[in-house]
Amino acid sequence: MPKNEFRILNPRLDVNFKAIFTQNSKDSRFALKSFLMAAIGRKIKKVTVIENENPKQFDLQRGISYDINCIFEDDSCAQIEMQGFEKAYDYGKRAEYYAARLLSSAIEVGDDWNSLPVVYQISVLNFIYDDSNDNPIHQYTMIDRKDGANLAGILNVIFMELPKIPEISNLEDVKNLPSPVKWCKFLQIADNQEKQDLIDALARSEEGIMKAESTLKGISMDRWRWIIQGQIEGIERDRISEINARKREDEKRRIEDEKRAREDEKRRIEDEKRAREDEQRRIEDEKRRVEDEKRMVEDARRAQKEKELSLREAALADKEKKLADSVLNLLKLNLTPEQISLALSIPIEEVCKTKLSAEI
């Protein structure tokens, strides 16, 4: 098949995704039936697209507008959403809410509980919802956490995560891919003309994809759809730009906060260092004060000892002088050294020494 000579609309935009499966044509209806059977993993004989505005149960209840809302021949129903852009909120909560609303709208007053149909909320996500594993297809239902026992099996949420679909390098591998993976790969690359060979291989392997491609080419010739796509993409670019601007501002504030925190930490360390230095100086000053006081006490003791010694020496010198005067006076009286020694009760050597000093 030759390459397309015109551009193809982006099927990951919800308006284009919805258009592929809701056209009043056999190709579109066949594509929807094929996609649903691949997504829910069961045969479907008949699919009827119904109003996509789910009625409110009471005045204050929030209204819901689904991308595609349909019912099967056994009254089972499905709601299909294409999420081309990642949302800021937890999409899982939204999907559960949509499934619950779909189920609640499927029963009327007076119906038996056994009349509740099986409902499927199917979301094709152009972003990764669960990054804990590489499986691109998830079907959630109500089961027991411990043994996996199923409850009633009527409430089902199915996620098809397009970014998790692996690259296909060998076109011969296409026919062995599971149908849900083929559909995901088609939706992932349908508007990429450089992947036309792979798109052709997918279409040959799955008739529903072939019908979907034909429908997508048909609606791509509608000029107004390109205008709408441009508006949606422009709004999304504005949203992403705003988010990125906030992220940059947040990152700038984070960097500034980290810088201030580092400066505060630096000041804290410097303050602690100064406090340690001040404490060290205080300790050294206290040590010097104690040493000065110690020296003052020692100097005072030394001065007291010197004073006492001086006083003792002075007293001794005075005593010796008086004794010497007494010896000299007795010598003048012509007493002998022996007589003076006996009279003064001092050794005779001292008498002789005093007499000798006087003579010199």
Side-chain angles (χ1 to χ4, degrees):
M1 180 181 292
K3 302 288 185 183
N4 289 326
E5 296 180 358
F6 56 90
R7 294 168 57 208
I8 301 297
L9 288 167
N10 179 1
R12 296 170 300 285
L13 292 183
D14 54 359
V15 292
N16 297 334
F17 177 83
K18 180 178 180 179
I20 293 172
F21 296 110
T22 58
Q23 297 299 299
N24 187 21
S25 68
K26 290 183 179 180
D27 283 357
S28 180
R29 288 191 292 271
F30 189 94
L32 175 61
K33 183 178 177 181
S34 174
F35 173 80
L36 284 169
M37 287 192 296
I40 68 179
R42 52 165 278 198
K43 292 288 185 180
I44 301 173
K45 293 181 181 179
K46 182 180 179 181
V47 179
T48 302
V49 177
I50 59 177
E51 290 295 329
N52 71 338
E53 186 70 32
N54 199 18
K56 297 180 181 181
Q57 304 300 319
F58 48 89
D59 289 342
L60 296 180
Q61 188 175 15
R62 182 175 180 175
I64 296 178
S65 180
Y66 301 131
D67 281 357
I68 304 173
N69 201 2
C70 51
I71 189 168
F72 308 151
E73 71 279 354
D74 61 353
D75 291 331
S76 298
C77 50
Q79 179 264 321
I80 311 171
E81 286 280 315
M82 164 58 79
Q83 286 296 316
F85 308 109
E86 187 167 2
K87 302 298 181 182
Y89 52 81
D90 183 351
Y91 186 80
K93 293 179 180 179
R94 170 177 167 174
E96 281 193 282
Y97 176 72
Y98 274 27
R101 286 289 304 278
L102 183 63
L103 182 61
S104 67
S105 66
I107 190 170
E108 297 180 358
V109 176
D111 286 348
D112 189 288
W113 287 117
N114 290 325
S115 64
L116 275 175
V118 177
V119 299
Y120 303 91
Q121 195 288 319
I122 304 167
S123 290
V124 182
L125 307 179
N126 195 31
F127 57 88
I128 294 178
Y129 173 75
D130 180 8
D131 58 5
S132 64
N133 63 73
D134 296 329
N135 186 9
I137 314 295
H138 290 277
Q139 181 164 345
Y140 305 96
T141 187
M142 297 182 72
I143 62 172
D144 185 274
R145 288 183 175 181
K146 292 184 178 179
D147 58 18
N150 199 20
L151 188 57
I154 62 173
L155 197 63
N156 299 272
V157 174
I158 298 170
F159 282 178
M160 307 170 77
E161 300 173 76
L162 300 185
K164 289 185 179 180
I165 302 300
E167 293 295 328
I168 301 172
S169 56
N170 188 351
L171 298 181
E172 292 300 317
D173 295 337
V174 170
K175 58 179 177 292
N176 298 321
L177 295 174
S179 288
V181 174
K182 292 179 183 179
W183 272 103
C184 287
K185 177 55 70 173
F186 168 73
L187 293 170
Q188 191 181 48
I189 66 170
D191 56 335
N192 186 348
Q193 292 177 294
E194 295 181 358
K195 299 284 186 179
Q196 190 60 51
D197 290 342
L198 179 54
I199 296 170
D200 293 343
L202 289 167
R204 288 193 299 269
S205 69
E206 191 92 9
E207 187 177 1
I209 294 177
M210 182 180 294
K211 304 297 186 183
E213 184 195 16
S214 174
T215 304
L216 180 59
K217 287 180 177 179
I219 65 174
S220 295
M221 299 178 68
D222 187 339
R223 173 175 171 268
W224 288 107
R225 292 191 181 279
W226 282 101
I227 294 175
I228 293 171
Q229 175 170 302
Q231 291 174 338
I232 294 173
E233 290 175 342
I235 292 171
E236 181 60 18
R237 277 193 295 271
D238 290 343
R239 186 183 74 87
I240 295 299
S241 297
E242 185 177 348
I243 291 173
N244 289 337
R246 284 198 297 267
K247 286 181 178 179
R248 287 192 294 270
E249 287 298 320
D250 291 343
E251 179 66 11
K252 181 180 178 181
R253 281 193 292 270
R254 184 191 66 78
I255 293 173
E256 291 175 350
D257 289 343
E258 288 183 353
K259 181 180 178 181
R260 281 193 294 270
R262 288 194 298 269
E263 291 174 349
D264 290 343
E265 179 65 11
K266 182 179 179 181
R267 282 193 293 270
R268 184 190 65 79
I269 293 173
E270 291 175 350
D271 290 343
E272 289 183 351
K273 181 181 178 182
R274 282 194 293 270
R276 288 193 299 270
E277 291 173 348
D278 291 343
E279 179 65 12
Q280 183 64 29
R281 282 193 293 270
R282 187 193 66 78
I283 292 172
E284 291 174 353
D285 290 343
E286 180 67 13
K287 181 179 178 181
R288 282 192 293 270
R289 185 189 65 77
V290 171
E291 291 175 349
D292 290 342
E293 288 184 353
K294 183 178 178 181
R295 280 194 297 270
M296 288 174 64
V297 171
E298 291 176 351
D299 291 344
R301 288 176 180 174
R302 192 162 43 250
Q304 182 66 27
K305 287 181 180 180
E306 290 176 353
K307 181 179 179 181
E308 291 175 354
L309 180 60
S310 178
L311 290 173
R312 284 197 299 270
E313 289 177 348
L316 181 59
D318 185 63
K319 182 180 178 181
E320 290 178 350
K321 183 176 183 301
K322 289 179 179 179
L323 183 61
D325 290 343
S326 298
V327 170
L328 292 175
N329 289 331
L330 292 175
L331 286 173
K332 289 178 179 179
L333 296 175
N334 296 319
L335 270 67
T336 65
E338 289 80 3
Q339 290 173 329
I340 295 171
S341 173
L342 184 61
L344 298 177
S345 300
I346 59 174
I348 191 171
E349 291 82 2
E350 289 294 327
V351 177
C352 294
K353 181 178 178 181
T354 300
K355 179 182 179 183
L356 182 61
S357 298
E359 291 174 353
I360 294 173

